[in-house]
């Protein structure tokens, strides 16, 4: 027995055998961990609503050496995203966060920065705000993964992009100037570049009162999703769902 205790975010669950669930947790202690919650489907009492995606929990699990799956002993809810009003839009945003964490975080690699980011964004998602926390999370995840390109200079010629138009292409890295843009490039508006710069030096709570309609920085989100999808080499299912909201 090697019992471990850690704060964690539930990312997803999957039916396993008759009554067990396979649970993916993003733990503060050691990053992404997969485990089995025995009889979780039968005994609602044991895990209750603690296994809903993006629930912030205190997890205790048995981690035997040389076994890929831990055995989830208990999960105590610290904060449930289901406590507030759950609209389809909000549920989709939560699913999007869970998918990003699940796809981007390597197994058993702790990241306190990502953990703190997640908790801070979850707080903002409890209210009515939707696109602001989603944009902030995508931007910061891209940066913390080390995928975020420079926003202030052309990726090809190095010219400063301040005050000039900037473009990006689905298959190339970074922003480029008008001279270096390829066919079928998209433009990133100066407003979105400015918002990104502001978000990169502010806390998500600083934007709590900010009115953020879907169209605001939609080009930035599209840019970020394409970067992330290129790195994980697959489509993010929830990005398409968010798009349709
Ligand atoms: Zn250039």
């Amino acid at each position: 027995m090697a019992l471990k205790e850690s704060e964690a975010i539930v990312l997803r669950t999957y039916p396993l055998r008759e009554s067990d669930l396979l649970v993916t947790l993003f733990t503060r202690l050691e990053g992404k961990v997969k485990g089995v919650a025995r009889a979780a489907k039968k005994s609602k009492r044991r895990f209750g609503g603690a296994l809903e995606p993006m629930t912030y929990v205190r997890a205790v699990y048995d981690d035997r050496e040389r076994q890929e799956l831990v055995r989830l002993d208990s999960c105590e809810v610290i904060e449930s995203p289901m406590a507030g009003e759950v609209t389809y839009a909000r549920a989709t945003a939560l699913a999007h966060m869970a998918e990003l964490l699940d796809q981007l975080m390597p197994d058993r690699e702790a990241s306190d920065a990502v953990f703190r980011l997640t908790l801070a964004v979850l707080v903002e998602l409890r209210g009515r705000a939707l696109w602001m926390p989603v944009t902030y999370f995508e931007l910061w995840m891209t940066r913390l993964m080390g995928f975020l390109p420079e926003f202030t200079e052309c990726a090809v010629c190095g010219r400063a992009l301040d005050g000039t138009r900037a473009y990006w292409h689905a298959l190339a890295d970074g922003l480029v100037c008008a001279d270096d843009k390829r066919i079928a490039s998209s433009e990133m508006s100066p407003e979105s570049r400015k918002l990104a710069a502001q978000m990169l030096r502010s806390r998500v709570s600083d934007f709590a009162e900010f009115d953020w309609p879907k169209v605001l920085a939609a080009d930035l989100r599209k840019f970020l999703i394409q970067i992330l999808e290129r790195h994980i080499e697959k489509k993010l299912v929830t990005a398409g769902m968010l798009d349709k909201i």
Side-chain angles (χ1 to χ4, degrees):
M1 290 271 279
L3 278 185
K4 290 178 176 171
E5 183 181 332
S6 175
E7 290 168 63
I9 305 284
V10 177
L11 299 184
R12 59 184 284 182
T13 60
Y14 215 80
L16 186 77
R17 294 186 291 269
E18 263 172 58
S19 56
D20 301 347
L21 285 177
L22 182 62
V23 184
T24 306
L25 294 173
F26 176 51
T27 68
R28 193 160 209 159
L29 183 72
E30 52 183 355
K32 204 170 74 181
V33 169
K34 290 193 188 81
V36 179
R38 292 256 165 83
K41 281 199 287 182
K42 270 192 202 149
S43 166
K44 285 258 186 274
R45 215 169 20 154
R46 201 148 153 243
F47 293 102
L51 298 179
E52 292 295 333
M54 297 314 287
T55 305
Y56 176 31
V57 297
R58 185 174 314 284
V60 176
Y61 54 94
D62 183 5
D63 188 16
R64 266 165 286 195
E65 270 181 80
R66 292 188 297 274
Q67 288 207 9
E68 196 205 339
L69 294 176
V70 304
R71 188 177 57 78
L72 199 56
D73 197 65
S74 69
C75 244
E76 178 201 330
V77 177
I78 300 174
E79 190 77 57
S80 169
M82 303 296 157
E85 190 196 353
V86 187
T87 59
Y88 174 74
R90 210 165 141 260
T92 308
L94 291 168
H96 185 54
M97 290 180 74
E99 186 182 23
L100 287 179
L101 289 167
D102 193 22
Q103 294 294 332
L104 293 166
M105 299 310 294
D107 287 338
R108 307 265 182 159
E109 205 177 298
S111 171
D112 209 56
V114 172
F115 203 88
R116 278 184 284 118
L117 167 70
T118 305
L119 292 183
V121 171
L122 279 175
V123 170
E124 299 309 317
L125 260 182
R126 255 179 247 151
R128 245 177 312 180
L130 181 78
W131 298 107
M132 185 283 287
V134 164
T135 309
Y136 191 92
F137 191 70
E138 289 174 350
L139 179 68
W140 269 97
M141 279 302 285
T142 310
R143 173 187 253 188
L144 291 172
M145 295 298 108
F147 304 152
L148 194 69
E150 190 53 65
F151 273 48
T152 56
E153 57 185 47
C154 170
V156 175
C157 70
R159 194 194 303 170
L161 291 173
D162 298 340
T164 68
R165 303 181 78 168
Y167 302 85
W168 52 280
H169 192 277
L171 303 175
D173 283 323
L175 293 176
V176 299
C177 68
D179 293 340
D180 291 314
K181 85 174 163 112
R182 292 158 58 167
I183 292 168
S185 289
S186 309
E187 182 169 1
M188 171 98 70
S189 68
E191 189 186 26
S192 294
R193 283 145 62 199
K194 202 172 134 211
L195 277 171
Q198 276 174 1
M199 285 192 141
L200 289 173
R201 50 169 196 265
S202 313
R203 285 177 301 205
V204 64
S205 56
D206 294 343
F207 294 87
E209 301 302 316
F210 207 97
D211 186 27
W212 195 299
K214 185 183 177 185
V215 289
L216 189 62
D219 52 355
L220 171 65
R221 289 194 303 272
K222 200 168 167 205
F223 175 69
L224 295 168
I225 289 299
Q226 292 206 342
I227 293 173
L228 296 174
E229 287 181 341
R230 219 167 47 236
H231 280 275
I232 61 173
E233 295 180 325
K234 65 170 95 162
K235 287 274 175 201
L236 289 158
V237 180
T238 54
M241 290 162 66
L242 271 176
D243 234 12
K244 293 192 191 86
I245 287 172

